[in-house]
């Protein structure tokens, strides 16, 4: 097979500012460019704009490299390595996308670690470090809010001092047997605000001063740019470009800190500062993404987040079985995608009325604002492995009983938290319980690596009991484990280098 780059080239157009043609110079390179075209939903045609010449080096020991000329008329050269397994293949595809990010950064744009959403056609970014709750917040947004990505957003200058925001793929979904996905990267929205998320008991919005907004924005850009920085020969030069882009963005786009509660309607705080427009945009539920076959085999899913506590705790492994023609029932715990977009969600079915399926997380105070389409359901969770313990997850009537037990547990937990808040923190600081800690209760600090992001967690017997918050620069430890942990001896990590604790 011989590629015809002049007629069969994937083309990416970004906000009328930059156009890229991914020219495959050999058959193996064509596999990578075709995959990128599927993921980014790119059209093919004659090459135009800036050419990105893609080669695959067959020589052993060769490393992938990129030549990014300063002259915008010269083509970008990207050399990849053969893929011996699916993960290595996806890494090479991600490298192609990151080359575009590097070039856009040189034009004054940036890739931000945050989900893109729109409000009546105007864009906003919900930013933050890994594990802060970007995916959960994106999934909770009601119409007329529409979520387009939950992990990364490419911000591109429009040439008039403003910025447009494009959804960007969540690459971690393609690794270790993930479900993948597709994003309409060429779709863009005028960027009106950036919200840095935090977790709290109440929803609150506050404007950030420019110096603080710039520092936080640089941090989020760094989180999704590590792959680029390892390839960039002049790292200091690239870092300066990121800093310059962050400075220009915060000068044009308002930046806020938004604390999000489990029960509140945080989007109402966002609407207070969004431009008032009459345009109403409905989410497109007809688009089909990468073909996924859920019909015949069991799948495994690593649970993340808080919405299904205490039924599931991160990082339990869930076993998912397709319905294969059977109907979901109230009480089933299902895995699904909202409009076939975004990361897979695991919530419980609370009602089934014909084709309308309503869901809710066991740890959430209210039902999900959307209805789940049957075509978006991947399957039912039938088992869970928590460390060495494997549990059967029941649906139907028994699942309903589990649902009410979880809600009762949640309400009791909130009541006890308010009642014993001061006493609990006093006992945790006193160290009394640390002296009584069983010998087999061994806590470990582990830095998780998800390709575009790294963050530390506190693990006990394979279960996550605490996470490090890079915004507040402190550990957040689940109750009652704080009683048995000496927080003073836990490492404090540098937000710019989460692999290394600070002195």
């Amino acid at each position: 097979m011989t590629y015809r780059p002049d007629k069969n080239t994937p083309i990416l157009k970004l906000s009328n500012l930059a156009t890229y043609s991914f020219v495959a110079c050999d058959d193996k390179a064509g596999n990578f460019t075709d995959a990128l075209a599927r993921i980014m939903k790119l059209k093919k045609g004659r090459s135009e704009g800036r050419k990105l010449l893609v080669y695959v080096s067959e020589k052993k020991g060769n490393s992938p490299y990129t030549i990014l000329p300063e002259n915008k008329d010269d083509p970008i050269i990207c050399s990849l390595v053969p893929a011996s397994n699916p993960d290595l293949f996806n890494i090479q595809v991600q490298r192609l996308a990151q080359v575009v990010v590097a070039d856009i950064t040189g034009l004054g744009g940036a890739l931000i670690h945050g989900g893109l959403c729109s409000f009546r056609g105007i864009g906003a970014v919900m930013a933050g470090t890994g594990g802060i709750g970007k995916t959960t917040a994106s999934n909770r947004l009601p119409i007329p809010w529409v979520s387009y990505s939950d992990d990364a957003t490419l911000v591109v200058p429009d040439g008039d001092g403003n910025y447009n925001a494009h959804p960007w793929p969540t690459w971690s979904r393609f690794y270790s047997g993930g479900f993948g996905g597709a994003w309409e990267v060429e779709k863009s929205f005028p960027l009106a605000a950036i919200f840095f998320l935090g977790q709290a008991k109440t929803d609150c919005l506050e404007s950030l001063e420019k110096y603080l907004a710039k520092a936080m924005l640089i941090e989020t850009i760094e989180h999704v740019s590590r792959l680029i920085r390892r390839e960039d020969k002049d790292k200091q030069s690239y870092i300066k470009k990121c800093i310059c882009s962050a400075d220009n963005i915060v000068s044009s786009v308002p930046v806020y800190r938004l604390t999000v509660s489990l029960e509140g309607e945080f989007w109402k705080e966002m609407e207070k500062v969004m431009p008032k427009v009459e345009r109403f945009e409905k989410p497109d539920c007809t688009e089909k993404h990468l073909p996924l076959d859920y019909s015949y085999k069991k799948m495994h899913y690593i649970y993340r987040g808080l919405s299904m506590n205490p039924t599931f705790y991160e990082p339990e492994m869930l076993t998912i079985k397709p319905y294969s023609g059977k109907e979901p029932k109230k009480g089933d715990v299902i895995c699904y995608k909202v409009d076939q977009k975004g990361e897979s969600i695991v919530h419980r079915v609370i009602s089934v009325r014909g084709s309308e399926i309503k869901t809710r997380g066991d740890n959430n105070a209210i039902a999900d604002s959307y209805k789940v389409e049957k075509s978006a359901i991947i399957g039912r969770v039938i088992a869970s492995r928590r460390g060495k313990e494997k549990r059967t997850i029941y649906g139907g009537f028994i699942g309903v009983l589990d649902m009410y037990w979880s809600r009762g547990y949640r309400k009791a937990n909130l009541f006890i938290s308010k009642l014993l808040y001061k006493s609990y923190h006093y006992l945790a600081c006193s160290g009394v319980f640390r002296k009584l800690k069983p010998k087999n209760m061994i806590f470990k600090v582990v830095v998780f690596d998800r390709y575009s992001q790294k963050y530390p967690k506190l693990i006990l017997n394979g279960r996550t009991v605490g996470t490090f918050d890079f915004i507040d620069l402190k550990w957040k430890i689940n109750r009652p484990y704080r009683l048995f942990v000496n927080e003073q001896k836990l490492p404090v990590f540098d937000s710019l280098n989460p692999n290394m604790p600070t002195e």
Side-chain angles (χ1 to χ4, degrees), residues 233-247:
K233 294 182 179 180
D234 188 356
K235 295 182 180 180
Q236 293 302 318
S237 174
Y238 184 75
I239 293 173
K240 289 180 180 178
K241 292 178 182 177
C242 292
I243 294 174
C244 182
S245 293
D247 189 47

Side-chain angles (χ1 to χ4, degrees), residues 154-377:
L154 185 65
V155 175
V156 182
D158 65 358
D160 295 324
N162 301 313
Y163 289 85
N164 290 321
H166 295 255
W168 204 250
T170 303
W171 294 105
S172 59
R173 296 181 196 164
F174 293 88
Y175 300 105
S176 303
F179 295 130
W183 291 258
E184 193 174 357
V185 173
E186 289 187 333
K187 194 177 188 68
S188 67
F189 301 90
L191 183 59
I194 298 174
F195 301 93
F196 281 95
L197 301 186
Q199 298 173 355
K201 295 181 179 179
T202 58
D203 301 321
C204 181
L205 182 72
E206 62 174 319
S207 180
L208 292 177
E209 294 189 28
K210 182 178 176 180
Y211 78 93
L212 182 57
K214 179 181 176 181
M216 296 175 70
L217 187 58
I218 291 172
E219 180 183 355
T220 63
I221 293 173
E222 194 275 340
H223 284 164
V224 285
S225 298
R226 293 191 186 109
L227 191 60
I228 305 171
R229 287 177 56 188
R230 284 199 295 269
E231 295 178 342
D232 198 284
K233 294 182 179 180
D234 188 356
K235 295 182 180 180
Q236 293 302 318
S237 174
Y238 184 75
I239 293 173
K240 289 180 180 178
K241 292 178 182 177
C242 292
I243 294 174
C244 182
S245 293
D247 189 47
N248 292 333
I249 292 172
V250 299
S251 297
S252 302
V253 181
V255 182
Y256 305 89
R257 188 197 299 271
L258 175 66
T259 57
V260 178
S261 67
L262 288 174
E263 302 178 16
E265 298 176 330
F266 66 89
W267 53 87
K268 291 186 177 180
E269 297 294 321
M270 298 167 64
E271 291 173 10
K272 293 178 181 178
V273 296
M274 292 294 288
K276 305 298 181 183
V277 294
E278 297 300 326
R279 177 183 171 189
F280 177 73
E281 180 175 14
K282 294 183 179 180
D284 186 354
C285 302
T286 62
E287 296 184 33
K288 293 185 178 180
H289 294 245
L290 291 180
L292 301 173
D293 188 357
Y294 305 133
S295 60
Y296 65 95
K297 62 180 180 180
K298 294 180 182 178
M299 291 158 284
H300 298 285
Y301 178 89
I302 302 299
Y303 173 76
R304 293 180 293 165
L306 304 172
S307 65
M308 283 297 290
N309 295 169
T311 307
F312 305 127
Y313 287 101
E314 186 181 82
E316 290 189 42
M317 177 177 287
L318 310 181
T319 301
I320 300 167
K321 181 180 180 180
Y323 274 99
S324 300
K326 297 181 180 180
E327 295 294 319
K329 299 179 181 179
K330 180 180 179 179
D332 289 359
V333 178
I334 63 173
C335 180
Y336 60 92
K337 289 177 177 287
V338 177
D339 298 334
Q340 290 288 330
K341 294 183 179 182
E343 194 167 274
S344 302
I345 300 171
V346 173
H347 277 179
R348 194 183 297 274
V349 176
I350 60 173
S351 71
V352 180
R353 295 179 181 177
S355 61
E356 293 186 357
I357 299 174
K358 291 289 291 182
T359 54
R360 173 177 169 177
D362 287 353
N363 194 36
N364 289 347
I366 57 176
D368 297 326
S369 60
Y370 48 80
K371 296 180 179 64
V372 179
E373 300 289 338
K374 290 184 179 180
S375 61
I377 297 177

